[in-house]
Amino acid sequence: GNDGNRMPRILTIVVIMFLSASAHAQEPPTACVAEDMACLFDMIEKTANDVTEDNWRDATYRETAKLLSHKGQTDRAIALLGKIKSPDTKALTIRGIGMAAADEKLPREEYAALFAKLTEEAKKIDHPPSHAIALTYISMAQAFAGDNDGALKTAATMDNASLRNKAYGEAGEIQAQRGDIAAVLKSVAAIDDTGYKDKELRIISKVFADGKYFDHALRTAYDIENPYQKSQAFLYVLLKQITPEEASVE
């Protein structure tokens, strides 16, 4: 009786072992270990090459380029731009590479070389709006990296006046975030549209106030020509100091 009971159990164990071994044998070999980032980057790029949907493939290249830039591999990140089909995604990838590199606090000469390469890549974009957006993004990244002169020069190369003024304003907002009043005044002075300049001055004054650079916020507000915009900027400086939880001037 015992032998009869034992046989089914043995068979069950053998079957389980066989199935387990088969499942293990069918597992795909792991190409990389998680810590091997170089291997992972290679694997991602190879896998992305097989994505048939253009938008998804472009987005994968964009995110990979940003991560490569964070790891100091900007040349490899820039090389991915040639694989991206959408002009808009290409412009966004240029922005991602520049901002990621700016976040890494690199030496000034490295930034100069990087932004020169990104500008060359922007020139290759034959879709005028995307080309202008790419230049705006480069100017913003330069401002974020502390290259204020470079940001102004990049913006100055833009033919479209409204987009050029927007680039100056965006640079000013980034400079205000770090409390750089001298750079802000230089950027805003380059805007040649009074209405747009007033709008940007008010935004920048608010950015200064939010960062508790209240004297800078007041100094910026003084340059606003429109009386209503100026009064609202002054009001925001007061509100941010007296009742910061209610500071929401429109």
Side-chain angles (χ1 to χ4, degrees):
N2 289 340
D3 288 344
N5 290 334
R6 193 177 299 124
M7 282 303 295
R9 281 200 294 270
I10 291 171
L11 284 171
T12 301
I13 292 167
V14 169
V15 169
I16 290 171
M17 289 174 66
F18 174 77
L19 290 173
S20 177
S22 297
H24 184 73
Q26 290 169 8
E27 288 178 4
T30 303
C32 306
V33 293
E35 293 83 3
D36 188 350
M37 293 188 186
C39 180
L40 281 172
F41 277 125
D42 287 341
M43 194 161 65
I44 288 168
E45 194 170 341
K46 286 174 187 173
T47 306
N49 290 341
D50 295 330
V51 177
T52 55
E53 175 62 47
D54 288 349
N55 290 343
W56 297 347
R57 187 176 58 256
D58 284 354
T60 305
Y61 289 141
R62 180 194 67 215
E63 296 306 311
T64 304
K66 284 157 64 175
L67 290 175
L68 282 166
S69 192
H70 272 299
K71 294 300 293 180
Q73 298 185 51
T74 53
D75 284 344
R76 184 171 178 182
I78 289 169
L80 288 178
L81 289 166
K83 295 186 173 188
I84 296 172
K85 290 190 175 182
S86 164
D88 283 346
T89 306
K90 197 167 285 194
L92 282 168
T93 306
I94 286 173
R95 178 191 189 279
I97 293 170
M99 294 298 275
D103 208 31
E104 297 304 316
K105 313 300 180 207
L106 303 174
R108 184 174 291 273
E109 60 274 11
E110 287 188 36
Y111 280 130
L114 170 63
F115 291 127
K117 289 175 185 176
L118 290 177
T119 301
E120 284 302 309
E121 291 298 321
K123 287 179 183 176
K124 296 176 187 176
I125 300 176
D126 56 9
H127 183 245
S130 298
H131 169 71
I133 289 167
L135 289 176
T136 302
Y137 288 151
I138 292 170
S139 178
M140 289 169 63
Q142 286 172 303
F144 192 69
D147 182 7
N148 298 316
D149 290 339
L152 285 173
K153 286 176 184 174
T154 298
T157 65
M158 300 171 68
D159 295 328
N160 185 295
S162 61
L163 290 174
R164 184 174 63 248
N165 286 332
K166 186 177 186 298
Y168 288 135
E170 295 278 6
E173 290 175 35
I174 291 169
Q175 290 154 347
Q177 288 173 8
R178 63 169 188 268
D180 193 342
I181 183 68
V184 163
L185 294 176
K186 216 171 173 183
S187 293
V188 174
I191 298 174
D192 58 13
D193 180 292
T194 302
Y196 189 78
K197 184 181 289 189
D198 279 353
K199 177 187 171 186
E200 274 301 331
L201 282 166
R202 186 179 164 196
I203 291 171
I204 288 167
S205 179
K206 182 178 183 294
V207 172
F208 274 137
D210 287 343
K212 298 185 179 179
Y213 299 106
F214 297 119
D215 288 336
H216 294 346
L218 196 59
R219 168 67 186 83
T220 312
Y222 272 123
D223 286 346
I224 299 173
E225 292 188 20
N226 181 282
Y228 174 72
Q229 297 274 22
K230 182 180 284 193
S231 67
Q232 296 305 296
F234 288 153
L235 186 57
Y236 193 83
V237 174
L238 279 172
L239 279 170
K240 199 67 183 176
Q241 293 178 91
I242 299 168
T243 55
E245 69 283 353
E246 297 176 16
S248 59
V249 181
E250 294 300 330

